[in-house]
């Protein structure tokens, strides 16, 4: 059975892509969220997708009557009178059971007796299952919501077993793919979703948040066993057709593509960026001053030389001469040879290099002096160029206004279509306005930082292509390129790449 055949669509293309093709067939997935977040709408849309595929669907409600369900869905385009759709409503009501005991009894709203005329069944998992057996087998089930089962017992273990037994019943006996809904983190733990998160095959979380004083709905797939699912938070809109998850894309569609990008030799980073760093425009690498960027720079430099580029380096303090020599040596490259062959030019604004070495140039007095020098160096090569520029050093050496002029000059006068222009900056070391300027001027922005536990990450903040908003782990490996960046989800079918 193919991957596609093992998944069932939810009814929204973006959510299906986030899930790797849809929900896993014959498994139970929990949809959790507060009131009004769209749980029931998403659940009914899931059933509508099944009806459209000529499947048998069952909607079990523990909180609404059949009339209330019809009223709730009447404003949507759902086919609530479809021949293959069955609505069932069950709830607990005080009464007298067949044993003569006064306790909660199981009541349905479809006028069908559970035990027989005049007899009430106890509100237990056993009798709920016995009642639901008359509606199976079926292909899809919605159980809305599990909080309605909390009346069974105040014992959490009994409640958990009851829900698990129902899940197994739907999956095994009914042969169905099941959506369970639950309130998120209720004050009563039995009405919340906490008990189901660990036992469900997957968890989809719905929420409300305020964005610039307006309330928006959000969706996040927090768990899906066996699937490299999309972990990002997405917006959820309620439409006449159900829910719409967006954005459809976080980067421009291929039809509007007006850029090129170049791989940098780190497969996960290239995938994250939709093919690599943008060519012919500015790229900004922001860091927190804690992240170790030496290995990343070594890969960028080595790959540039291996792809026949000439490199212009305005080094950071971490890229002092001895360090660059060592980093290049790890890739089998000799620093002195690259300098002698006009493959590498260094403009050292911080005094970390020996300026008596050929093609190493010291600080400039004015920004114009720097642009004149860079222009002269660019004219000394016919190769494509890869510029790595310490934006902080430029700002500190010449001030904000001169730094802006240098940045404009680089992209407007020097960078051609196949060239790469990478600025490196720690926003904490420069002013907010010049930092915002560099971010605004860049076509692509990457953030690299280190957490307190020593884990290092990279996020694609801005880009015309790639997984904008995705965060990937950065780690060191023993073999070239000595650096691994975690692949974003769905790399094989990247919906955000501009191929």
């Amino acid at each position: 059975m193919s991957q596609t055949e093992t998944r069932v669509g939810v009814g929204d293309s973006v959510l299906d892509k986030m899930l790797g093709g849809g929900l896993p067939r014959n498994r139970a997935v929990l949809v959790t969220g507060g009131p009004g977040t769209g749980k029931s709408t998403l659940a009914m849309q899931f059933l509508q997708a099944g009806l459209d595929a000529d499947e048998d669907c069952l909607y079990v409600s523990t909180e609404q009557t059949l009339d209330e369900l019809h009223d709730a869905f009447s404003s949507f385009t759902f086919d609530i009178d479809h021949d293959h759709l069955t609505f069932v409503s069950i709830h607990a009501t005080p009464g007298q059971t067949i044993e003569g005991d006064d306790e909660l009894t199981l009541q349905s709203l479809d006028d069908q007796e559970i035990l027989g005329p005049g007899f009430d069944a106890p509100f237990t998992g056993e009798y709920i299952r016995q009642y639901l057996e008359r509606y199976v087998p079926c292909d899809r089930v919605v159980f809305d919501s599990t909080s309605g089962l909390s009346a069974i017992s105040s014992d959490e273990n009994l409640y958990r077993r009851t829900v698990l037994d129902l899940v197994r019943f739907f999956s095994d006996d009914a042969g169905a793919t099941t959506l369970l809904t639950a309130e998120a983190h209720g004050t009563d733990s039995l009405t919340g979703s906490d008990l189901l998160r660990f036992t469900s095959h997957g968890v989809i979380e719905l929420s409300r948040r305020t964005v610039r004083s307006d309330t928006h709905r959000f969706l996040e797939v927090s768990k899906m066993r066996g699937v490299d699912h999309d972990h990002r938070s997405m917006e959820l809109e309620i439409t006449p057709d159900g829910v719409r998850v967006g954005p459809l894309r976080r980067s421009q569609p291929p039809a509007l593509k007006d850029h090129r990008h170049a791989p940098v030799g780190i497969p996960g980073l290239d995938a994250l960026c939709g093919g690599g760093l943008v060519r012919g425009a500015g790229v900004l690498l922001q860091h927190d001053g804690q992240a170790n960027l030496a290995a990343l720079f070594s890969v960028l430099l080595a790959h540039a030389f291996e792809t026949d580029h000439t490199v212009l380096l305005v080094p950071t303090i971490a890229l002092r001469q001895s360090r660059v020599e060592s980093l290049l040596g790890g890739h089998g490259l000799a620093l002195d040879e690259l300098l002698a062959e006009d493959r590498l030019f260094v403009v050292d604004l911080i005094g970390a290099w020996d300026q008596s070495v050929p093609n190493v140039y010291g600080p400039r007095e004015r920004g114009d002096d720097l642009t004149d020098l860079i222009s002269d160096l660019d004219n000394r090569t016919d190769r494509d160029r890869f510029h790595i520029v310490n934006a902080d050093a430029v700002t500190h050496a010449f001030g904000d206004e001169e730094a802006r002029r240098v940045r404009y000059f680089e992209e407007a006068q020097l960078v051609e279509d196949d060239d790469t222009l990478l600025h490196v900056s720690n926003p904490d070391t420069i002013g907010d306005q010049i930092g915002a300027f560099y971010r605004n001027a860049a076509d692509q922005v990457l953030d690299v930082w280190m957490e307190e536990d020593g884990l290092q990450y990279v996020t694609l903040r801005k880009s015309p292509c790639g997984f904008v908003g995705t965060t990937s782990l950065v780690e060191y490996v023993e073999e070239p390129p000595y650096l691994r960046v975690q692949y974003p989800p769905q790399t094989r079918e990247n919906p955000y790449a501009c191929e």
Side-chain angles (χ1 to χ4, degrees):
M1 182 177 290
S2 69
Q3 174 72 12
T4 302
E5 292 172 335
T6 63
R7 325 294 295 181
V8 297
V10 179
D12 179 84
S13 60
V14 173
L15 180 53
D16 283 339
K17 287 179 180 178
M18 293 176 68
L19 296 167
L23 297 180
R25 189 178 298 276
N26 301 127
R27 295 290 186 266
V29 172
L30 174 67
V31 178
T32 178
T37 52
K39 298 186 298 297
S40 297
T41 304
L42 174 59
M44 186 59 224
Q45 185 169 343
F46 161 71
L47 295 186
Q48 183 63 53
L51 297 175
D52 293 341
D54 201 28
E55 297 177 346
D56 292 320
C57 300
L58 173 64
Y59 193 114
V60 182
S61 175
T62 64
E63 298 179 337
Q64 293 179 285
T65 67
L66 301 184
D67 288 341
E68 289 171 339
L69 285 171
H70 277 75
D71 289 343
F73 295 134
S74 62
S75 62
F76 294 91
T77 59
F78 302 142
D79 190 356
I80 55 179
D81 295 317
H82 197 287
D83 291 340
H84 292 277
L85 173 63
T86 302
F87 284 104
V88 174
S89 181
I90 57 175
H91 62 282
T93 300
Q96 192 173 64
T97 65
I98 189 173
E99 290 86 3
D101 298 327
D102 292 326
E103 57 180 289
L104 290 177
T105 60
L106 174 62
Q107 300 293 324
S108 69
L109 299 179
D110 54 6
D111 298 325
Q112 295 194 48
E113 299 289 347
I114 297 173
L115 291 180
F119 296 105
D120 290 327
F123 190 71
T124 64
E126 176 185 355
Y127 283 106
I128 292 173
R129 173 173 173 165
Q130 179 179 329
Y131 173 68
L132 294 176
E133 283 178 348
R134 67 191 69 184
Y135 300 106
V136 301
C138 56
D139 300 297
R140 302 190 186 209
V141 171
V142 163
F143 197 94
D144 182 23
S145 83
T146 57
S147 61
L149 300 177
S150 61
I152 288 177
S153 174
S154 59
D155 186 311
E156 291 188 4
N157 290 326
L158 178 57
Y159 171 75
R160 186 197 301 268
R161 287 198 302 272
T162 299
V163 176
L164 285 176
D165 286 344
L166 280 175
V167 168
R168 294 191 185 100
F169 166 69
F170 291 135
S171 299
D172 298 340
D173 295 0
T177 306
T178 306
L179 272 187
L180 309 168
T181 73
E183 291 294 316
H185 309 296
T187 54
D188 182 345
S189 61
L190 293 181
T191 65
S193 60
D194 292 346
L195 290 177
L196 303 176
R197 290 174 178 271
F198 299 105
T199 54
S200 299
H201 195 85
V203 179
I204 299 174
E205 299 190 60
L206 309 185
S207 62
R208 287 176 179 264
R209 296 204 305 266
T210 300
V211 180
R212 297 282 180 91
S213 76
D214 289 327
T215 301
H216 291 245
R217 294 181 176 90
F218 291 88
L219 176 148
E220 182 178 339
V221 182
S222 59
K223 169 187 172 182
M224 197 59 60
R225 291 175 182 165
V227 178
D228 184 22
H229 61 86
D230 197 326
H231 295 78
R232 291 175 296 180
S233 179
M234 307 286 276
E235 276 243 11
L236 182 145
E237 300 177 55
I238 304 296
T239 76
D241 295 323
V243 304
R244 179 187 180 276
V245 179
L248 179 64
R249 307 178 62 90
R250 298 195 190 204
S251 54
Q252 66 189 29
L256 300 180
K257 178 179 176 182
D258 59 356
H259 75 283
R260 302 179 65 186
H261 44 231
V264 296
I266 306 173
L269 183 61
D270 290 335
L272 178 70
C273 296
L277 300 185
V278 170
R279 289 183 175 182
V283 179
L284 177 62
L285 176 66
Q286 296 185 141
H287 64 95
D288 63 350
Q290 303 296 321
N292 189 338
L293 301 180
L296 174 60
F297 286 135
S298 77
V299 176
L300 295 178
L301 290 169
H303 190 73
F305 293 129
E306 291 166 0
T307 53
D308 202 31
H309 284 72
T310 294
V311 174
L312 172 71
L313 176 64
V314 180
T316 66
I317 190 64
L319 292 179
R320 56 192 178 276
Q321 187 169 342
S322 60
R323 189 64 186 279
V324 173
E325 184 174 21
S326 175
L327 291 172
L328 292 176
H331 293 273
L333 298 169
L335 174 61
D336 55 350
E337 293 180 4
L338 294 168
L339 289 167
E341 296 171 358
D342 287 351
R343 299 293 310 282
L344 173 64
F345 300 104
V346 179
V347 180
D348 178 21
L349 299 180
I350 57 178
W353 286 64
D354 180 0
Q355 294 163 30
S356 66
V357 175
N359 285 340
V360 176
Y361 301 86
R364 309 286 101 173
E365 293 185 1
R366 299 176 302 132
D368 288 346
D369 297 334
L370 176 61
T371 56
D372 289 344
L373 174 60
I374 295 176
S375 183
D376 289 342
L377 296 177
D378 270 12
N379 290 331
R380 288 172 55 179
T381 180
D382 293 328
R383 296 184 176 94
D384 294 332
R385 303 160 185 85
F386 196 123
H387 290 198
I388 300 178
V389 180
N390 179 359
D392 300 344
V394 175
T395 301
H396 294 155
F398 308 118
D400 291 2
E401 290 303 318
E402 287 290 290
R404 288 186 179 91
R405 290 176 57 192
V406 171
R407 173 65 182 82
Y408 285 135
F409 176 84
E410 288 172 315
E411 187 161 342
Q413 302 297 324
L414 295 182
V415 177
E416 298 179 358
D417 289 345
D418 290 328
D419 296 339
T420 302
L421 174 61
L422 174 66
H423 287 87
V424 182
S425 176
N426 178 353
D428 292 336
T429 66
I430 57 177
D432 291 341
Q433 288 189 345
I434 189 65
F437 162 76
Y438 276 110
R439 289 189 293 274
N440 182 67
D443 277 27
Q444 194 174 53
V445 178
L446 290 157
D447 280 358
V448 182
W449 78 97
M450 184 175 289
E451 293 286 320
E452 291 183 358
D453 57 7
L455 295 178
Q456 190 163 311
Y457 293 91
V458 57
T459 296
L460 184 63
R461 292 293 184 195
K462 174 183 177 181
S463 184
C465 59
F467 282 88
V468 178
T470 289
T471 297
S472 295
L473 177 70
V474 178
E475 58 184 321
Y476 303 107
V477 294
E478 296 291 335
E479 301 296 328
Y482 307 114
L483 196 69
R484 177 184 179 273
V485 173
Q486 182 182 44
Y487 273 85
Q490 305 176 7
T491 306
R492 295 175 185 173
E493 296 181 7
N494 183 348
Y496 309 114
C498 297
E499 300 298 343

